[in-house]
Amino acid sequence: MSAKVSVILPSLNVAAYIRECLDSVTNQSLHELEIICIDAGSTDGTAEILEEYAGKDSRIILLHSEIKSYGRQVNMGLDHANGKYVAILETDDWIEKDMYQCLYTIAEKDRLDYAAADFDTFIRLQNGYHYFTRQRIFSDVEQRNTGQKESDIFPVPVRGWYGQVLGPDRIAVLRSTDYVLWKGIYNREFLKENGIRLHESPGAAFQDMGFLQQVKSCAKRAEYIDESFYRYRQGREEASSGCLEGLRYYEGEFRWLDEQQSFMRSLKGIHRNYYYFTMSIAFITKYEQILSGLHVEWEDDRLEEPCEWFQRQISDAVEEGLLEERMYGEELWERLMRLLASREAHAGRFADRGKEQEKTEQAFLRVIDNRPVVIFGCGIRGERLMLFCDRHQIRIDAFCDNKEELHGKKKYGFPIISPAELAEAAGDRNRPVLLSMKEGADQVRNQLAALGIEESLVIEKLPV
């Protein structure tokens, strides 16, 4: 059987998750897979689980890397792959059954260099339920500067781009927004002909960046479908995304790209603009994430050297006219300019924003005073409030809503009750009721008061 897709699975100490991952790939509706598992010296039983599955499925190939490098593991997989397309599946995640069938069908039909889809992030709530969030590559925002030729402007990716074969200029725009390699499949000959590999830096941090920047430079035909197949796990303490060395890792990726003359020569026209735009977005988002983790200690050694390097590169790009405010929006542009000009000034403003948010959260937590709560409203704001409560270990007794069709059902394991049921239990429990709605809070407050619920228990000022 010749493989249609070679799936590369790099692993290191993921025994708690790898069975779910392997089950999701071995049970794909596209059976013609080559499943290449590369372990980097796991000591928690991961390697033994891989051997168990390989004994049951002849499509599984086991490889071992003596080097603990995600880039090295994936490159080993690329060297051994025989499928027409290759995919990467991280072994603490899982995928829906039809992922590779759908992507393969589209890639073949439209002769693509790569095909991709959306993905969902998920966290495990305290009650054991999973909360999924769709991550869209394209938004509903209307095209800016309508009436101008797309070649004369910085185009905005919109929902209408789903299902279209995208050419080089549109692919260039996606350098900053399509930032993960595992939600798609890539034509193996396309990768080979263009010498596209991963940076074999130590660890497993942000090697997606270098790989995808090369892909975007070389791809002539790409397509994204309006579906979500990949399930990306959040909340692992070992995850590289929360590492305080993250800015160094990003610097390493961009330095590695800068050293490749063929890559830098490929950055022409809009590709050059969006390469430096991507660099700037990676810089400010990761810098601010780490700054928050360091409690705004902006002089920390882990930030000093990479920050200076990024500041030089991005400042030069601004001077050359490669980066303009209309690519960012006013607020983000101001933050970036402040960071380029003075890390101290940026940190002061960043700290002010953080203090205001912390003040709001602490005031809310004092009012709750460790009591169980009921969330009024089952919409997206109610879900955000649920996540806040879950993160702060506030017990949620129920959701409450005026929609009769929801009564008696459950939302993420929590019962949905009517206002009348809430009132019946109000006399027995000192439970705050959190009003999640953006509009109509006054009417709900009056409704609850008419049902006999104490006004002091109804909380409208929320931290989300």
Side-chain angles (χ1 to χ4, degrees):
M1 177 193 71
S2 59
K4 293 179 177 178
V5 179
S6 295
V7 188
I8 300 169
L9 289 80
S11 62
L12 177 61
N13 293 331
V14 285
Y17 315 108
I18 197 166
R19 289 185 184 277
E20 185 176 35
C21 177
L22 288 169
D23 287 342
S24 74
V25 69
T26 55
N27 291 318
Q28 285 287 294
S29 57
L30 180 67
H31 186 74
E32 297 92 333
L33 300 178
E34 179 182 51
I35 303 168
I36 306 173
C37 300
I38 309 100
D39 190 68
S42 294
T43 57
D44 69 341
T46 296
E48 289 76 10
I49 296 172
L50 290 172
E51 290 174 1
E52 174 193 332
Y53 274 75
K56 297 185 294 185
D57 195 324
S58 61
R59 297 174 299 172
I60 297 178
I61 300 168
L62 293 185
L63 303 175
H64 297 277
S65 172
E66 295 181 358
I67 302 171
K68 288 180 171 57
S69 166
Y70 177 88
R72 172 63 177 163
Q73 289 172 267
V74 174
N75 285 343
M76 287 177 65
L78 291 174
D79 290 339
H80 282 78
N82 293 297
K84 184 166 184 181
Y85 299 88
V86 295
I88 292 87
L89 172 56
E90 298 196 350
T91 42
D92 53 352
D93 303 331
W94 55 274
I95 53 178
E96 293 290 348
K97 185 175 182 179
D98 293 328
M99 176 171 179
Y100 295 136
Q101 180 67 69
C102 288
L103 293 177
Y104 174 82
T105 300
I106 290 168
E108 282 289 275
K109 177 175 69 72
D110 291 331
R111 298 173 288 108
L112 304 175
D113 295 320
Y114 73 89
D118 292 336
F119 68 99
D120 278 38
T121 58
F122 72 94
I123 62 170
R124 188 176 185 275
L125 301 174
Q126 298 289 338
N127 65 0
Y129 280 74
H130 286 151
Y131 180 84
F132 295 89
T133 304
R134 175 79 171 263
Q135 305 295 328
R136 287 192 172 276
I137 187 72
F138 304 130
S139 71
D140 292 318
V141 178
E142 290 297 322
Q143 177 76 47
R144 286 181 292 191
N145 300 324
T146 53
Q148 291 180 284
K149 294 180 181 179
E150 190 170 275
S151 58
D152 296 333
I153 63 173
F154 298 115
V156 179
V158 291
R159 285 285 285 276
W161 288 20
Y162 282 118
Q164 292 189 21
V165 177
L166 306 181
D169 281 359
R170 286 189 170 184
I171 293 171
V173 178
L174 302 177
R175 285 182 178 275
S176 64
T177 54
D178 182 14
Y179 53 86
V180 290
L181 80 170
W182 29 252
K183 63 188 181 66
I185 63 173
Y186 307 85
N187 185 292
R188 186 167 61 86
E189 282 303 310
F190 159 74
L191 297 179
K192 187 176 180 180
E193 289 171 4
N194 291 285
I196 298 174
R197 310 276 287 177
L198 273 73
H199 184 199
E200 296 187 6
S201 53
F206 312 124
Q207 288 98 333
D208 299 51
M209 180 62 75
F211 177 85
L212 287 173
Q213 291 306 304
Q214 295 171 83
V215 167
K216 297 297 186 292
S217 286
C218 300
K220 301 295 189 295
R221 297 175 63 84
E223 190 169 339
Y224 295 79
I225 60 174
D226 193 2
E227 299 282 351
S228 176
F229 299 111
Y230 196 98
R231 304 294 177 254
Y232 177 77
R233 188 183 307 274
Q234 292 186 311
R236 284 186 63 208
E237 291 183 4
E238 307 91 339
S240 60
S241 57
C243 175
L244 296 178
E245 297 282 351
L247 201 62
R248 290 188 192 276
Y249 295 143
Y250 265 142
E251 179 198 6
E253 283 298 296
F254 283 105
R255 277 186 181 270
W256 178 67
L257 289 170
D258 284 357
E259 291 168 359
Q260 299 183 56
Q261 293 184 3
S262 60
F263 172 77
M264 296 306 293
R265 285 196 298 268
S266 72
L267 295 176
K268 298 177 181 178
I270 196 171
H271 277 274
R272 189 169 179 80
N273 296 93
Y274 274 94
Y275 173 69
Y276 285 102
F277 177 72
T278 302
M279 182 188 292
S280 68
I281 295 298
F283 170 47
I284 193 168
T285 54
K286 182 53 63 178
Y287 178 84
E288 290 185 345
Q289 180 188 30
I290 296 173
L291 195 63
S292 179
L294 293 172
H295 306 289
V296 202
E297 293 292 337
W298 62 275
E299 295 179 292
D300 190 280
D301 289 344
R302 286 166 287 197
L303 295 175
E304 188 74 30
E305 184 179 333
C307 192
E308 289 179 357
W309 187 85
F310 277 114
Q311 284 175 310
R312 288 195 302 271
Q313 298 291 318
I314 297 165
S315 294
D316 288 348
V318 172
E319 286 187 18
E320 289 181 44
L322 296 171
L323 299 176
E324 301 178 19
E325 181 179 345
R326 58 180 171 156
M327 300 171 72
Y328 296 82
E330 183 179 356
E331 191 272 337
L332 181 56
W333 177 255
E334 287 181 357
R335 278 165 48 203
L336 179 63
M337 293 300 101
R338 191 179 301 116
L339 178 54
L340 294 179
S342 168
R343 289 171 57 206
E344 184 175 9
H346 170 272
R349 194 72 166 268
F350 184 83
D352 290 342
R353 294 202 312 268
K355 286 176 183 176
E356 189 62 34
Q357 178 64 24
E358 184 178 2
K359 183 179 177 181
T360 301
E361 292 183 1
Q362 291 302 318
F364 174 78
L365 293 173
R366 283 194 298 272
V367 171
I368 297 300
D369 193 26
N370 295 316
R371 292 176 292 177
V373 301
V374 173
I375 298 174
F376 200 111
C378 289
I380 187 64
R381 290 172 64 85
E383 291 182 10
R384 290 174 184 163
L385 193 52
M386 174 193 71
L387 295 177
F388 179 88
C389 291
D390 185 80
R391 190 163 61 249
H392 291 273
Q393 297 185 324
I394 298 169
R395 197 180 94 198
I396 302 169
D397 276 353
F399 279 90
C400 183
D401 204 284
N402 275 317
K403 295 179 180 176
E404 293 184 9
E405 62 269 24
L406 297 178
H407 300 160
K409 297 182 179 179
K410 289 190 175 183
K411 187 177 182 70
Y412 297 104
F414 302 110
I416 303 174
I417 61 176
S418 67
E421 291 174 292
L422 176 63
E424 288 175 10
D428 301 326
R429 311 181 71 167
N430 187 26
R431 296 185 302 184
V433 180
L434 313 180
L435 304 188
S436 68
M437 64 287 302
K438 190 174 184 179
E439 298 178 354
D442 288 342
Q443 294 93 313
V444 173
R445 182 181 289 277
N446 293 335
Q447 176 188 12
L448 296 179
L451 289 169
I453 295 176
E454 290 285 340
E455 184 179 352
S456 62
L457 293 176
V458 181
I459 301 174
E460 186 176 346
K461 191 173 182 180
L462 305 174
V464 293

